[in-house]
């Protein structure tokens, strides 16, 4: 401060105030050279020309201050480094002690697991490694083993002999199930079903076999090592009960594959407009599958072979209706006239034909926009309408209005 004075009364505050430095920076924002030049002129005005006694005294004081700062900064860095090293050393020591205690408690559990599967098939699936993390001291490499052992590993102190025996026995049971389900993992049960079935059921088995051969790892070990979400207790229960069709549906549902396979079942590649028809089947499948009755908890029930074939039959019947409705819509005079007048939309990146062809992929949801746009942009007559149900009910007039709206908005990705 300019008001600072020494005990003898002499002024000791700086004659160049921080406010002046701030003003220089504001006059030359971001221009370091201009700031240096302006500051040099300020020093010359206050302390005189370079070489003067007052200027030498000023520069010596600046040098001393810089040395004091550099020394203090070096001391601070040394202190921070020393403190960090002490903390790290203490933390490492604590972690090592925690890890040693946890490992001591876990070793009997791991030994019990190894003893339980000593003569079991696929026992290599329990492979594990010790970690330096005290809170994840042991890591199993296969998901279903890791899930089975998770409670014992996370709280080894509360792992009673009864609990350990039960969990190890469950892991052994699952290893045995994998070894006894070779017909499932080789997909031979589908090959056998193809020979003994006919009609829709035969085609279902053929397309499921194609999917398995292309997309699923061959053999149980390869599948469980892949860390798939479908490898859970339900899968093992189905394999144990020899319900191989249900087990396959369980795997495909977890992978979201049923909606991709169903169009291939109902529409062959040789069929006219096969691509468009498969798109339509996909929409019909989503709608029909979603209409299944929920269970007591309000969730979708697990697929069974019977429920899948029943739903597939419903899907085929509704697809046949929707397919005829699409053809009638595309041949409707009003729709043809609308497409023929494409020149009215010159420069629009979404051709009318493309918008109208969305009849092959009718959304079962309403148009979705942010709330503040929805009521201002979407015409009242197509708010809260679902193109799928307009097509199903043959409301071609309103469906054409939806497709007009797509053209106006230059996109059909609005559902």
């Amino acid at each position: 401060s300019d008001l600072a004075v020494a005990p003898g009364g002499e002024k000791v505050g700086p004659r160049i105030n921080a406010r002046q430095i701030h003003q220089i920076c504001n006059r030359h924002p971001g221009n370091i050279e201009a700031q240096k030049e302006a500051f040099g002129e300020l020093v010359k005005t206050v302390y005189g020309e370079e070489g003067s006694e007052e200027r030498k005294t000023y520069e010596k004081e600046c040098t001393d201050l810089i040395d004091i700062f550099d020394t203090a900064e070096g001391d601070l860095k040394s202190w921070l480094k020393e403190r960090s090293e002490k903390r790290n050393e203490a933390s490492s020591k604590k972690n090592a002690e925690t890890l040693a205690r946890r490992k001591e408690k876990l070793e009997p559990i791991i030994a019990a697991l190894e003893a339980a599967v000593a003569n079991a098939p696929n026992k290599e699936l329990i492979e594990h490694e010790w970690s330096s993390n005290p809170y994840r001291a042991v890591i199993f490499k296969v998901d279903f083993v890791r899930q089975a052992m998770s409670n014992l590993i996370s709280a080894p102190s509360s792992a009673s002999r009864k609990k350990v025996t039960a969990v190890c026995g469950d892991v052994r049971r699952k290893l045995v199930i994998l070894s006894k389900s070779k017909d499932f993992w080789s997909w031979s049960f589908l090959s056998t079903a193809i020979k003994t079935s006919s009609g829709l059921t035969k085609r279902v088995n053929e397309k499921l076999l194609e999917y398995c051969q292309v997309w699923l790892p061959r053999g149980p070990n390869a599948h469980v090592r892949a860390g798939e979400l479908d490898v859970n207790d339900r899968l093992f229960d189905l394999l144990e009960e020899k319900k191989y069709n249900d087990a396959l549906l369980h795997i495909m549902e977890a992978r979201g594959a049923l909606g991709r396979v169903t169009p291939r079942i109902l529409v062959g590649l040789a069929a006219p407009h096969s691509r468009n028809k498969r798109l339509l089947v996909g929409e019909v499948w989503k709608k029909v599958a979603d209409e299944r009755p929920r269970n007591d908890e309000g969730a979708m029930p697990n697929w069974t072979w019977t429920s899948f074939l029943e739903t597939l039959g419903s899907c085929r019947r509704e697809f046949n209706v929707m397919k005829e409705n699409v053809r009638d819509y595309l041949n409707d005079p009003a729709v043809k006239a609308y497409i023929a007048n494409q020149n009215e939309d010159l420069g629009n990146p979404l051709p009318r034909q493309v918008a109208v062809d969305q009849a092959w992929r009718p959304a079962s949801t309403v148009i979705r926009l942010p709330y503040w746009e929805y009521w201002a942009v979407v015409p009242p007559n197509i708010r809260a309408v679902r193109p799928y149900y307009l097509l199903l009910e043959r409301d071609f007039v309103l469906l054409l209005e939806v497709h007009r709206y797509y053209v106006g908005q230059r996109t059909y990705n609005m559902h």
Side-chain angles (χ1 to χ4, degrees), residues 60-104:
K60 182 179 183 304
E61 290 174 350
C62 289
T63 302
D64 292 344
L65 286 173
I66 291 172
D67 290 342
I68 291 171
F69 176 83
D70 289 343
T71 302
E73 186 179 38
D75 292 343
L76 176 62
K77 288 181 178 178
S78 299
W79 179 81
L80 290 174
K81 181 180 179 181
E82 183 180 355
R83 185 183 68 168
S84 176
E85 289 174 350
K86 287 181 179 179
R87 287 182 174 179
N88 290 338
E89 183 180 353
S91 177
S92 299
K93 182 179 179 181
K94 182 179 178 181
N95 286 343
E97 292 172 352
T98 303
L99 181 61
R101 290 195 302 269
R102 185 168 285 266
K103 189 174 181 180
E104 184 180 358

Side-chain angles (χ1 to χ4, degrees), residues 100-173:
R101 290 195 302 269
R102 185 168 285 266
K103 189 174 181 180
E104 184 180 358
K105 296 175 182 178
L106 288 174
E107 284 176 341
I109 297 175
I110 303 301
L113 176 63
E114 292 174 342
V117 303
N119 59 349
N122 302 315
K123 62 181 181 181
E124 66 275 7
L125 293 178
I126 70 160
E127 60 183 329
H128 58 278
E129 60 183 20
W130 293 99
S131 165
S132 59
N133 185 343
Y135 302 102
R136 290 188 63 195
V138 62
I139 300 175
F140 290 95
K141 296 185 178 181
V142 176
D143 272 353
F144 82 87
V145 180
R146 182 163 56 248
Q147 292 169 10
M149 299 292 292
S150 60
N151 290 337
L152 299 180
I153 300 303
S154 61
S157 299
S158 61
S160 64
R161 182 176 299 179
K162 183 178 180 181
K163 288 182 181 178
V164 173
T165 302
V167 171
C168 294
D170 184 56
V171 173
R172 178 187 173 85
R173 179 183 72 91

